[in-house]
Amino acid sequence: SNWPSKLCELANSLQRERGEREVASALRKAIQDVKGGFTHLRLKGLRDITRVLEAASHNATIASYLSSLQAAHPDLCLIHILSTNIFHPSHDEGAGPGGA
């Protein structure tokens, strides 16, 4: 019978799903902060994204989760989030130089 191997497959599948959920949750929270209207929230979000990326750079499993999540969920695509919220931030924090 293949019961032991089937149980191992099931356990590995559940562990992968849990890992993906944890990475997705961390990314969603960080992205929410990056999109925040205040500088301190943006900085906190960037720090949290950096932590996820650092973890992925040291752990191939986390890197795999991160890659598959970004491919499956456009809302978790870090390049788009960073380009629209950091490199071209909104001007909702009040008037800057020369503003009213």
Side-chain angles (χ1 to χ4, degrees):
S1 176
N2 286 339
W3 272 107
S5 65
K6 294 290 184 185
L7 287 176
C8 287
E9 288 176 27
L10 177 61
N12 289 338
S13 174
L14 292 173
Q15 185 175 1
R16 179 172 178 84
E17 287 177 15
R18 179 177 174 229
E20 287 179 349
R21 279 194 311 270
E22 288 176 2
V23 172
S25 176
L27 276 180
R28 281 193 176 95
K29 177 64 176 137
I31 289 168
Q32 179 182 359
D33 288 345
V34 166
K35 291 179 176 180
F38 300 101
T39 301
H40 72 278
L41 280 178
R42 287 186 183 144
L43 292 174
K44 180 183 177 301
L46 286 174
R47 184 181 65 232
D48 292 343
I49 287 173
T50 301
R51 287 181 181 153
V52 170
L53 292 174
E54 181 181 15
S57 74
H58 294 294
N59 186 310
T61 302
I62 294 173
S64 174
Y65 295 163
L66 182 61
S67 177
S68 65
L69 284 169
Q70 290 189 82
H73 302 280
D75 62 315
L76 297 179
C77 183
L78 294 178
I79 298 299
H80 175 71
I81 298 299
L82 294 175
S83 68
T84 57
N85 292 282
I86 299 304
F87 304 128
H88 302 332
S90 62
H91 298 289
D92 60 353
E93 288 191 46

